Amino acid sequence: MRFLKILIIRLSRFAYLSVVGRTRPNLHKFWREKHIFIWFLALVVGIFAAYVAIIFRVLIGLTQDIWLGTTSERVFAAAQVLPSWMIFLGPVIGGILVGLLLQFVMPGKRALGVADVIEARAIKDCKMAPGAAIWSALISILSLGFGASAGREGPVVHLGAAIASKLEDLFQLPSSARRTLLACGVATAVSASFNAPIAGVLFAHEVILAHYALSAFVPIVISSVVGTILSRIYFGDAAAFIIPNYQITSHWEFPAFALLGLICAAVAIIFQFSLIYTDKVARNIHMPLWLRPVIGGVIVGGIAIFFPQILGVGYDTTDAALNQNLTIATLFALLVAKTAATAITLASRFGGGVFSPSLYLGAMTGGAFGLIATAVFPEVSSSHGVYAIVGMGAVSAAVIGAPISTTLIVFELTGGYEVTLALLLAVSIATALNQAINGMGFFHWQLKNRGHFLHESIDQQIAKRLKVHHFMTKFEPGEGQDKIKSLDPKTMIWLTSDHTLQQTLRAFDKNACHKIAVIKSTENFEIIGWAEHWAALAALNQALVDIQVEEHR
């Protein structure tokens, strides 16, 4: 009996020491990396970003009420009972107000969106100016409220990210935590704006972080869930589009869904080319900045006289396509009209995004394809509403370059889970063909036109993001004054603290040296430190290690 007691005690002690030995390092690491604190901040970001998204949406409705007499998103129904001159004046008035804001108060002279959030994550250490975000949001509210043809997801994503960035600055978070919290703001904005919590989580990973990691997943889920709950409390728990119960009637339809994916790829490619080249044409026309949105408003208002369905985000018209309430002639006409109106809207520097227009164009494409398919093969074809749902996902996924999160957004917006296989097939084909032709989605195309090539290798991205001040050896105040006496400012090799790691490594190679002076500014040649070759390479290697750890833990 005594032997048994001793055995039990020793086994218990061994089990205890084994558990403690295994768990203590993990718990210590968990506590050291402040995961609980990040989760708490994710909760705070979720609350603030959700209420900002709700306010943003409400203010769009209140602006609409000024000229349409309704705060709902059923813009077409309200516009039908208005005289043509009122429909025309809405975008024009919006253009005047937007033009004045761009000319006199908006930093950068353009509204901001998803591409700016990606740029902040990849290049600017997640730093975003809150003042610019507020003014940009106001521009988007006026744009969408007065009928500009764009989406609300881009502005609200930027707002959510800006809130997270401000909180990051407040607590001086490290880079990996900053990226996670920025994604939390984005996830909240998407989930609160579209009542799509799963899609919000995946969009933040797929589009903003560009990787999936368990350490980021938990806080992003917290923010997304909080955003969804608060949005549902205010707007209700209903899908954005109410559709009948659809199902695929025959597996023989899948070649038709594959063909629809090809057609949606063509629509997405044409849409992107329209956006980019309309913008390029607008940039080459010299005129006062404030006048651009006014002229854009005149053109959009003129289109809206004949096709009021193109006004605003267009959810009611998208809903009509899903519910088979549009003729094939109307579907084709709106496909062309919406493409033109959105390209002119964004080229004229109205605020807004491209996701809602992409859903719109996809619904028109799928609806038209479905009408033809059901007429040619009535015995094996599903209702053309199924094709409209599939078209929504395929076009929007190809445009924004995010097939997984887009598929989930379409599921959550429509509740159409029965068409999963068809949607995945069409989305994959459309996205692959768009990548083959364009090489990237619309957001990365925007960044490329600004000189940011985020499809480069990770070490090239890091070399452009890291600055000299990240790895330089700093002098004490005044310590560099005696050193400059032996240096001629006209001939000496120098860097400033804002030069990139890429520029620094090129300077080392060009001048065959291992140490370069860092000066205060190009106007003040006081030496404030040294940039050393080994330190620059060490900073690059450490950043690469940190990225690998962040993406795989």
Side-chain angles (χ1 to χ4, degrees):
M1 197 67 179
R2 185 181 174 190
F3 172 76
L4 186 60
K5 278 185 179 181
I6 293 172
L7 181 62
I8 292 172
I9 291 171
R10 289 185 176 179
L11 286 175
S12 300
R13 184 179 298 172
F14 176 76
Y16 172 77
L17 291 175
S18 297
V19 170
V20 171
R22 180 180 294 273
T23 60
R24 181 179 290 173
N26 295 332
L27 290 172
H28 180 69
K29 181 181 178 183
F30 184 83
W31 184 259
R32 187 179 66 249
E33 294 179 352
K34 300 181 178 179
H35 286 285
I36 297 294
F37 182 61
I38 298 300
W39 293 359
F40 171 74
L41 290 182
L43 176 64
V44 175
V45 167
I47 293 171
F48 278 96
Y51 278 114
V52 166
I54 291 168
I55 292 169
F56 179 81
R57 188 168 163 183
V58 169
L59 289 177
I60 291 174
L62 293 175
T63 306
Q64 274 180 197
D65 193 41
I66 296 172
W67 68 293
L68 286 177
T70 180
T71 59
S72 77
E73 293 178 332
R74 302 289 166 179
V75 175
F76 173 57
Q80 279 183 304
V81 300
L82 294 179
S84 297
W85 64 270
M86 286 190 68
I87 294 174
F88 174 77
L89 280 182
V92 175
I93 294 170
I96 294 171
L97 297 174
V98 167
L100 293 175
L101 288 174
L102 288 173
Q103 184 74 49
F104 297 108
V105 300
M106 182 63 203
K109 308 303 179 185
R110 63 176 177 82
L112 306 172
V114 177
D116 299 279
V117 180
I118 298 172
E119 180 182 350
R121 187 272 304 167
I123 299 171
K124 298 181 178 179
D125 196 27
C126 301
K127 294 185 180 294
M128 301 174 66
I134 293 171
W135 286 118
S136 177
L138 179 58
I139 287 171
S140 297
I141 288 166
L142 293 172
S143 300
L144 299 174
F146 280 105
S149 177
R152 66 167 184 256
E153 79 294 328
V156 81
V157 162
H158 188 272
L159 267 178
I163 290 170
S165 177
K166 184 64 178 176
L167 205 60
E168 294 161 3
D169 292 338
L170 185 64
F171 290 98
Q172 296 294 300
L173 297 179
S175 294
S176 60
R178 294 181 68 89
R179 288 189 285 270
T180 297
L181 214 59
L182 192 81
C184 288
V186 170
T188 304
V190 172
S191 61
S193 184
F194 294 109
N195 188 21
I198 302 174
V201 172
L202 292 179
F203 184 89
H205 278 92
E206 190 174 20
V207 177
I208 304 302
L209 289 182
H211 70 263
Y212 293 88
L214 185 60
S215 60
F217 183 78
V218 175
I220 290 173
V221 167
I222 291 171
S223 293
S224 184
V225 169
V226 170
T228 305
I229 290 171
L230 293 177
S231 176
R232 287 178 178 179
I233 290 172
Y234 192 90
F235 295 113
D237 183 15
F241 304 108
I242 308 301
I243 60 174
N245 291 324
Y246 290 140
Q247 60 181 6
I248 299 171
T249 58
S250 171
H251 289 97
W252 292 104
E253 283 188 272
F254 279 89
F257 291 126
L259 179 59
L260 177 57
L262 292 173
I263 295 171
C264 286
V267 170
I269 291 166
I270 292 170
F271 180 49
Q272 289 180 83
F273 274 111
S274 300
L275 295 172
I276 294 296
Y277 287 102
T278 304
D279 182 71
K280 185 176 292 186
V281 169
R283 288 177 185 272
N284 290 326
I285 299 174
H286 300 288
M287 67 176 68
L289 177 60
W290 66 267
L291 191 57
R292 291 185 183 275
V294 178
I295 294 177
V298 169
I299 300 173
V300 171
I303 297 173
I305 291 175
F306 301 98
F307 300 102
Q309 297 97 326
I310 59 97
L311 293 170
V313 295
Y315 275 7
D316 52 345
T317 306
T318 304
D319 198 47
L322 293 172
N323 284 278
Q324 310 173 54
N325 295 330
L326 301 177
T327 65
I328 191 166
T330 302
L331 290 167
F332 278 122
L334 292 179
L335 188 61
V336 176
K338 188 67 173 180
T339 299
T342 304
I344 292 164
T345 290
L346 297 181
S348 303
R349 304 206 184 184
F350 281 100
V354 297
F355 185 69
S356 294
S358 300
L359 292 174
Y360 185 111
L361 295 177
M364 300 304 122
T365 304
F369 183 91
L371 281 173
I372 296 171
T374 53
V376 176
F377 301 105
E379 64 281 355
V380 295
S381 295
S382 302
S383 160
H384 74 260
V386 170
Y387 292 93
I389 295 174
V390 173
M392 284 174 64
V395 173
S396 54
V399 169
I400 69 174
I404 299 174
S405 54
T406 302
T407 300
L408 265 296
I409 288 175
V410 172
F411 282 159
E412 293 185 289
L413 286 177
T414 63
Y417 295 94
E418 292 78 10
V419 297
T420 303
L421 293 178
L423 183 59
L424 287 173
L425 178 62
V427 162
S428 61
I429 291 172
T431 304
L433 287 176
N434 182 70
Q435 290 293 110
I437 302 297
N438 287 328
M440 62 195 74
F442 179 69
F443 301 140
H444 285 275
W445 202 351
Q446 284 182 306
L447 292 171
K448 179 183 175 182
N449 287 345
R450 300 175 196 171
H452 302 308
F453 301 92
L454 300 188
H455 277 66
E456 296 172 334
S457 62
I458 189 64
D459 57 324
Q460 289 176 307
Q461 292 184 40
I462 291 171
K464 289 182 178 181
R465 184 177 74 235
L466 286 179
K467 302 293 179 67
V468 169
H469 65 78
H470 287 119
F471 56 83
M472 63 179 281
T473 302
K474 296 181 181 178
F475 293 149
E476 295 296 325
E479 186 181 344
Q481 289 287 5
D482 57 334
K483 301 180 184 295
I484 198 171
K485 295 176 182 177
S486 61
L487 297 172
D488 182 357
K490 295 181 180 178
T491 59
M492 77 175 188
I493 305 168
W494 52 265
L495 296 164
T496 68
S497 61
D498 287 330
H499 275 89
T500 65
L501 175 61
Q502 184 183 63
Q503 293 170 317
T504 303
L505 293 174
R506 287 175 179 172
F508 283 127
D509 181 64
K510 179 180 178 181
N511 297 285
C513 59
H514 69 279
K515 182 186 288 189
I516 299 177
V518 180
I519 62 173
K520 196 166 190 177
S521 69
T522 53
E523 288 79 29
N524 184 348
F525 275 72
E526 177 188 353
I527 297 180
I528 59 173
W530 295 106
E532 298 181 83
H533 196 188
W534 69 267
L537 292 175
L540 175 61
N541 290 332
Q542 185 59 51
L544 286 169
V545 170
D546 291 343
I547 287 292
Q548 288 297 312
V549 171
E550 180 184 341
E551 292 184 0
H552 295 91
R553 64 178 179 173

mmCIF file of all heavy atoms in Angstrom, residues 320-347:
data_model
loop_
_atom_site.group_PDB
_atom_site.id
_atom_site.type_symbol
_atom_site.label_atom_id
_atom_site.label_comp_id
_atom_site.label_asym_id
_atom_site.label_seq_id
_atom_site.Cartn_x
_atom_site.Cartn_y
_atom_site.Cartn_z
ATOM 1 N N ALA A 320 -32.960 43.739 -58.060
ATOM 2 C CA ALA A 320 -33.927 43.470 -59.133
ATOM 3 C C ALA A 320 -33.387 42.424 -60.103
ATOM 4 O O ALA A 320 -34.130 41.556 -60.585
ATOM 5 C CB ALA A 320 -34.253 44.764 -59.877
ATOM 6 N N ALA A 321 -32.077 42.473 -60.372
ATOM 7 C CA ALA A 321 -31.475 41.464 -61.253
ATOM 8 C C ALA A 321 -31.507 40.085 -60.601
ATOM 9 O O ALA A 321 -31.792 39.077 -61.264
ATOM 10 C CB ALA A 321 -30.040 41.853 -61.593
ATOM 11 N N LEU A 322 -31.255 40.032 -59.309
ATOM 12 C CA LEU A 322 -31.279 38.753 -58.597
ATOM 13 C C LEU A 322 -32.683 38.157 -58.565
ATOM 14 O O LEU A 322 -32.847 36.935 -58.540
ATOM 15 C CB LEU A 322 -30.758 38.938 -57.171
ATOM 16 C CG LEU A 322 -29.273 39.299 -57.023
ATOM 17 C CD1 LEU A 322 -28.950 39.652 -55.583
ATOM 18 C CD2 LEU A 322 -28.398 38.147 -57.490
ATOM 19 N N ASN A 323 -33.682 39.025 -58.534
ATOM 20 C CA ASN A 323 -35.070 38.563 -58.465
ATOM 21 C C ASN A 323 -35.741 38.493 -59.827
ATOM 22 O O ASN A 323 -36.967 38.418 -59.914
ATOM 23 C CB ASN A 323 -35.865 39.478 -57.530
ATOM 24 C CG ASN A 323 -35.567 39.206 -56.071
ATOM 25 O OD1 ASN A 323 -36.101 38.296 -55.463
ATOM 26 N ND2 ASN A 323 -34.670 40.018 -55.508
ATOM 27 N N GLN A 324 -34.947 38.552 -60.900
ATOM 28 C CA GLN A 324 -35.439 38.351 -62.267
ATOM 29 C C GLN A 324 -36.483 39.387 -62.672
ATOM 30 O O GLN A 324 -37.446 39.078 -63.366
ATOM 31 C CB GLN A 324 -36.027 36.943 -62.416
ATOM 32 C CG GLN A 324 -35.119 35.846 -61.909
ATOM 33 C CD GLN A 324 -35.771 34.490 -61.917
ATOM 34 O OE1 GLN A 324 -36.269 34.041 -62.942
ATOM 35 N NE2 GLN A 324 -35.777 33.822 -60.783
ATOM 36 N N ASN A 325 -36.269 40.639 -62.269
ATOM 37 C CA ASN A 325 -37.227 41.694 -62.574
ATOM 38 C C ASN A 325 -36.782 42.619 -63.711
ATOM 39 O O ASN A 325 -37.420 43.642 -63.948
ATOM 40 C CB ASN A 325 -37.492 42.536 -61.312
ATOM 41 C CG ASN A 325 -38.178 41.737 -60.226
ATOM 42 O OD1 ASN A 325 -38.928 40.807 -60.504
ATOM 43 N ND2 ASN A 325 -37.910 42.081 -58.976
ATOM 44 N N LEU A 326 -35.689 42.271 -64.384
ATOM 45 C CA LEU A 326 -35.175 43.118 -65.456
ATOM 46 C C LEU A 326 -35.151 42.348 -66.765
ATOM 47 O O LEU A 326 -34.835 41.145 -66.792
ATOM 48 C CB LEU A 326 -33.748 43.610 -65.118
ATOM 49 C CG LEU A 326 -33.589 44.425 -63.830
ATOM 50 C CD1 LEU A 326 -32.124 44.761 -63.600
ATOM 51 C CD2 LEU A 326 -34.421 45.695 -63.874
ATOM 52 N N THR A 327 -35.448 43.043 -67.854
ATOM 53 C CA THR A 327 -35.398 42.426 -69.178
ATOM 54 C C THR A 327 -33.954 42.339 -69.653
ATOM 55 O O THR A 327 -33.065 43.028 -69.134
ATOM 56 C CB THR A 327 -36.215 43.238 -70.192
ATOM 57 O OG1 THR A 327 -35.591 44.518 -70.363
ATOM 58 C CG2 THR A 327 -37.648 43.432 -69.713
ATOM 59 N N ILE A 328 -33.719 41.519 -70.667
ATOM 60 C CA ILE A 328 -32.359 41.347 -71.158
ATOM 61 C C ILE A 328 -31.826 42.649 -71.765
ATOM 62 O O ILE A 328 -30.637 42.979 -71.623
ATOM 63 C CB ILE A 328 -32.279 40.185 -72.169
ATOM 64 C CG1 ILE A 328 -30.809 39.858 -72.463
ATOM 65 C CG2 ILE A 328 -33.051 40.497 -73.458
ATOM 66 C CD1 ILE A 328 -30.617 38.538 -73.173
ATOM 67 N N ALA A 329 -32.699 43.430 -72.415
ATOM 68 C CA ALA A 329 -32.263 44.712 -72.981
ATOM 69 C C ALA A 329 -31.831 45.666 -71.872
ATOM 70 O O ALA A 329 -30.802 46.363 -71.986
ATOM 71 C CB ALA A 329 -33.393 45.338 -73.801
ATOM 72 N N THR A 330 -32.591 45.704 -70.778
ATOM 73 C CA THR A 330 -32.244 46.564 -69.645
ATOM 74 C C THR A 330 -30.934 46.123 -69.007
ATOM 75 O O THR A 330 -30.083 46.948 -68.643
ATOM 76 C CB THR A 330 -33.370 46.537 -68.592
ATOM 77 O OG1 THR A 330 -34.582 46.963 -69.197
ATOM 78 C CG2 THR A 330 -33.036 47.443 -67.422
ATOM 79 N N LEU A 331 -30.740 44.820 -68.868
ATOM 80 C CA LEU A 331 -29.510 44.303 -68.266
ATOM 81 C C LEU A 331 -28.279 44.723 -69.071
ATOM 82 O O LEU A 331 -27.287 45.179 -68.508
ATOM 83 C CB LEU A 331 -29.583 42.770 -68.168
ATOM 84 C CG LEU A 331 -30.583 42.208 -67.150
ATOM 85 C CD1 LEU A 331 -30.792 40.717 -67.385
ATOM 86 C CD2 LEU A 331 -30.094 42.446 -65.734
ATOM 87 N N PHE A 332 -28.347 44.585 -70.397
ATOM 88 C CA PHE A 332 -27.211 44.980 -71.237
ATOM 89 C C PHE A 332 -26.983 46.494 -71.193
ATOM 90 O O PHE A 332 -25.837 46.965 -71.120
ATOM 91 C CB PHE A 332 -27.430 44.517 -72.681
ATOM 92 C CG PHE A 332 -27.074 43.087 -72.919
ATOM 93 C CD1 PHE A 332 -28.011 42.183 -73.407
ATOM 94 C CD2 PHE A 332 -25.791 42.622 -72.665
ATOM 95 C CE1 PHE A 332 -27.683 40.852 -73.635
ATOM 96 C CE2 PHE A 332 -25.455 41.290 -72.882
ATOM 97 C CZ PHE A 332 -26.406 40.404 -73.369
ATOM 98 N N ALA A 333 -28.071 47.250 -71.221
ATOM 99 C CA ALA A 333 -27.945 48.713 -71.194
ATOM 100 C C ALA A 333 -27.321 49.181 -69.886
ATOM 101 O O ALA A 333 -26.439 50.065 -69.875
ATOM 102 C CB ALA A 333 -29.316 49.361 -71.400
ATOM 103 N N LEU A 334 -27.768 48.601 -68.769
ATOM 104 C CA LEU A 334 -27.228 49.004 -67.464
ATOM 105 C C LEU A 334 -25.786 48.564 -67.292
ATOM 106 O O LEU A 334 -25.008 49.224 -66.594
ATOM 107 C CB LEU A 334 -28.089 48.427 -66.344
ATOM 108 C CG LEU A 334 -29.504 49.004 -66.231
ATOM 109 C CD1 LEU A 334 -30.264 48.341 -65.097
ATOM 110 C CD2 LEU A 334 -29.453 50.523 -66.007
ATOM 111 N N LEU A 335 -25.416 47.460 -67.927
ATOM 112 C CA LEU A 335 -24.026 47.003 -67.879
ATOM 113 C C LEU A 335 -23.094 48.070 -68.466
ATOM 114 O O LEU A 335 -22.054 48.406 -67.873
ATOM 115 C CB LEU A 335 -23.898 45.696 -68.657
ATOM 116 C CG LEU A 335 -22.582 44.929 -68.582
ATOM 117 C CD1 LEU A 335 -22.279 44.507 -67.164
ATOM 118 C CD2 LEU A 335 -22.632 43.710 -69.499
ATOM 119 N N VAL A 336 -23.491 48.635 -69.589
ATOM 120 C CA VAL A 336 -22.688 49.684 -70.235
ATOM 121 C C VAL A 336 -22.785 50.990 -69.452
ATOM 122 O O VAL A 336 -21.769 51.657 -69.182
ATOM 123 C CB VAL A 336 -23.156 49.892 -71.692
ATOM 124 C CG1 VAL A 336 -22.396 51.051 -72.335
ATOM 125 C CG2 VAL A 336 -22.965 48.619 -72.505
ATOM 126 N N ALA A 337 -23.994 51.371 -69.053
ATOM 127 C CA ALA A 337 -24.210 52.659 -68.379
ATOM 128 C C ALA A 337 -23.495 52.714 -67.030
ATOM 129 O O ALA A 337 -22.884 53.729 -66.672
ATOM 130 C CB ALA A 337 -25.708 52.909 -68.191
ATOM 131 N N LYS A 338 -23.553 51.626 -66.266
ATOM 132 C CA LYS A 338 -22.906 51.611 -64.948
ATOM 133 C C LYS A 338 -21.394 51.647 -65.073
ATOM 134 O O LYS A 338 -20.709 52.311 -64.283
ATOM 135 C CB LYS A 338 -23.344 50.366 -64.177
ATOM 136 C CG LYS A 338 -22.881 50.331 -62.718
ATOM 137 C CD LYS A 338 -23.549 51.404 -61.884
ATOM 138 C CE LYS A 338 -23.211 51.253 -60.400
ATOM 139 N NZ LYS A 338 -23.868 52.297 -59.581
ATOM 140 N N THR A 339 -20.851 50.929 -66.058
ATOM 141 C CA THR A 339 -19.402 50.964 -66.284
ATOM 142 C C THR A 339 -18.946 52.388 -66.586
ATOM 143 O O THR A 339 -17.966 52.886 -66.006
ATOM 144 C CB THR A 339 -19.016 50.034 -67.447
ATOM 145 O OG1 THR A 339 -19.384 48.694 -67.126
ATOM 146 C CG2 THR A 339 -17.524 50.092 -67.725
ATOM 147 N N ALA A 340 -19.662 53.051 -67.486
ATOM 148 C CA ALA A 340 -19.299 54.426 -67.854
ATOM 149 C C ALA A 340 -19.465 55.374 -66.672
ATOM 150 O O ALA A 340 -18.587 56.201 -66.385
ATOM 151 C CB ALA A 340 -20.164 54.882 -69.027
ATOM 152 N N ALA A 341 -20.578 55.260 -65.959
ATOM 153 C CA ALA A 341 -20.857 56.176 -64.847
ATOM 154 C C ALA A 341 -19.841 56.020 -63.723
ATOM 155 O O ALA A 341 -19.382 57.015 -63.139
ATOM 156 C CB ALA A 341 -22.270 55.941 -64.310
ATOM 157 N N THR A 342 -19.439 54.781 -63.416
ATOM 158 C CA THR A 342 -18.469 54.557 -62.342
ATOM 159 C C THR A 342 -17.089 55.046 -62.742
ATOM 160 O O THR A 342 -16.380 55.672 -61.931
ATOM 161 C CB THR A 342 -18.413 53.059 -61.977
ATOM 162 O OG1 THR A 342 -19.726 52.607 -61.637
ATOM 163 C CG2 THR A 342 -17.483 52.833 -60.800
ATOM 164 N N ALA A 343 -16.690 54.782 -63.982
ATOM 165 C CA ALA A 343 -15.389 55.254 -64.454
ATOM 166 C C ALA A 343 -15.320 56.784 -64.416
ATOM 167 O O ALA A 343 -14.313 57.362 -63.978
ATOM 168 C CB ALA A 343 -15.134 54.751 -65.877
ATOM 169 N N ILE A 344 -16.378 57.456 -64.840
ATOM 170 C CA ILE A 344 -16.415 58.924 -64.824
ATOM 171 C C ILE A 344 -16.457 59.449 -63.389
ATOM 172 O O ILE A 344 -15.793 60.435 -63.045
ATOM 173 C CB ILE A 344 -17.629 59.429 -65.629
ATOM 174 C CG1 ILE A 344 -17.427 59.119 -67.111
ATOM 175 C CG2 ILE A 344 -17.847 60.927 -65.427
ATOM 176 C CD1 ILE A 344 -18.688 59.220 -67.941
ATOM 177 N N THR A 345 -17.218 58.780 -62.524
ATOM 178 C CA THR A 345 -17.307 59.184 -61.123
ATOM 179 C C THR A 345 -15.930 59.193 -60.466
ATOM 180 O O THR A 345 -15.521 60.187 -59.844
ATOM 181 C CB THR A 345 -18.249 58.234 -60.357
ATOM 182 O OG1 THR A 345 -19.588 58.454 -60.779
ATOM 183 C CG2 THR A 345 -18.164 58.466 -58.852
ATOM 184 N N LEU A 346 -15.195 58.100 -60.588
ATOM 185 C CA LEU A 346 -13.909 57.995 -59.909
ATOM 186 C C LEU A 346 -12.836 58.845 -60.590
ATOM 187 O O LEU A 346 -11.970 59.412 -59.918
ATOM 188 C CB LEU A 346 -13.473 56.532 -59.847
ATOM 189 C CG LEU A 346 -14.413 55.621 -59.038
ATOM 190 C CD1 LEU A 346 -13.885 54.190 -59.015
ATOM 191 C CD2 LEU A 346 -14.604 56.137 -57.617
ATOM 192 N N ALA A 347 -12.897 58.957 -61.923
ATOM 193 C CA ALA A 347 -11.933 59.820 -62.614
ATOM 194 C C ALA A 347 -12.153 61.287 -62.278
ATOM 195 O O ALA A 347 -11.212 62.093 -62.323
ATOM 196 C CB ALA A 347 -12.041 59.605 -64.123
#
